Amino acid sequence: MSAEDLKNLAKKSIGLDSPSAELYICFLIQKIEMLQEQPAEIDKKIEELSTKLNSPIFSIPGIGHSQALPC
Protein backbone atom coordinates (compact mmCIF):
# COMPACT_ATOMS: atom_id res chain seq x y z
CA MET A 1 0.00 0.00 0.00
CA SER A 2 1.45 3.35 -1.03
CA ALA A 3 1.45 6.60 0.88
CA GLU A 4 -1.04 7.98 -1.64
CA ASP A 5 -3.38 5.02 -0.96
CA LEU A 6 -3.17 5.69 2.77
CA LYS A 7 -3.82 9.37 2.24
CA ASN A 8 -6.92 8.62 0.17
CA LEU A 9 -8.19 6.12 2.74
CA ALA A 10 -7.61 8.61 5.54
CA LYS A 11 -9.60 11.29 3.68
CA LYS A 12 -12.54 8.93 3.58
CA SER A 13 -12.17 7.71 7.15
CA ILE A 14 -12.10 11.10 8.87
CA GLY A 15 -14.76 12.61 6.66
CA LEU A 16 -12.99 15.83 5.69
CA ASP A 17 -10.37 17.16 3.33
CA SER A 18 -8.12 19.18 5.59
CA PRO A 19 -4.59 20.37 4.78
CA SER A 20 -3.64 20.02 8.45
CA ALA A 21 -4.98 16.45 8.57
CA GLU A 22 -3.08 15.68 5.37
CA LEU A 23 0.15 17.02 6.85
CA TYR A 24 -0.40 15.04 10.05
CA ILE A 25 -0.98 11.84 8.08
CA CYS A 26 2.22 12.45 6.09
CA PHE A 27 4.18 12.82 9.33
CA LEU A 28 2.65 9.62 10.70
CA ILE A 29 3.58 7.74 7.55
CA GLN A 30 7.17 8.98 7.84
CA LYS A 31 7.29 7.83 11.47
CA ILE A 32 5.98 4.40 10.55
CA GLU A 33 8.57 4.03 7.79
CA MET A 34 11.37 5.11 10.13
CA LEU A 35 10.25 2.65 12.82
CA GLN A 36 10.21 -0.15 10.27
CA GLU A 37 13.77 0.63 9.16
CA GLN A 38 15.33 0.95 12.61
CA PRO A 39 15.34 -2.73 13.67
CA ALA A 40 17.25 -3.74 10.53
CA GLU A 41 19.83 -1.01 11.11
CA ILE A 42 20.22 -2.00 14.76
CA ASP A 43 20.59 -5.70 13.90
CA LYS A 44 23.25 -4.85 11.33
CA LYS A 45 25.22 -2.79 13.87
CA ILE A 46 24.93 -5.53 16.52
CA GLU A 47 26.31 -8.08 14.06
CA GLU A 48 29.13 -5.73 13.09
CA LEU A 49 30.13 -5.10 16.72
CA SER A 50 29.84 -8.72 17.81
CA THR A 51 31.99 -9.87 14.88
CA LYS A 52 34.75 -7.54 16.09
CA LEU A 53 34.66 -9.27 19.49
CA ASN A 54 35.74 -12.57 17.95
CA SER A 55 34.40 -14.30 21.04
CA PRO A 56 34.49 -18.07 21.56
CA ILE A 57 30.91 -17.81 22.80
CA PHE A 58 29.78 -18.06 19.16
CA SER A 59 30.87 -21.72 19.21
CA ILE A 60 27.94 -22.50 21.54
CA PRO A 61 24.95 -23.77 19.54
CA GLY A 62 22.07 -21.31 19.53
CA ILE A 63 24.18 -18.29 20.45
CA GLY A 64 23.87 -15.61 17.85
CA HIS A 65 25.09 -12.06 17.55
CA SER A 66 22.31 -10.56 19.69
CA GLN A 67 22.79 -12.98 22.58
CA ALA A 68 26.57 -12.74 22.63
CA LEU A 69 26.99 -9.03 23.24
CA PRO A 70 27.79 -8.05 26.81
CA CYS A 71 25.29 -5.79 28.49
Side-chain angles (χ1 to χ4, degrees):
M1 181 174 287
S2 71
E4 191 65 32
D5 292 335
L6 286 174
K7 187 172 110 176
N8 289 330
L9 288 172
K11 281 183 183 179
K12 295 175 186 173
S13 67
I14 59 175
L16 58 104
D17 186 13
S18 165
S20 62
E22 181 179 336
L23 183 62
Y24 182 67
I25 290 168
C26 287
F27 287 146
L28 289 175
I29 291 169
Q30 289 174 356
K31 276 186 171 180
I32 290 168
E33 289 172 344
M34 181 190 67
L35 291 171
Q36 289 174 334
E37 293 170 2
Q38 282 181 338
E41 291 176 24
I42 291 169
D43 288 343
K44 182 178 176 183
K45 191 66 175 178
I46 287 173
E47 186 172 346
E48 178 185 313
L49 292 172
S50 65
T51 301
K52 288 180 182 179
L53 289 176
N54 196 21
S55 174
I57 198 165
F58 293 117
S59 65
I60 300 172
I63 298 294
H65 295 282
S66 297
Q67 298 87 6
L69 287 179
C71 295

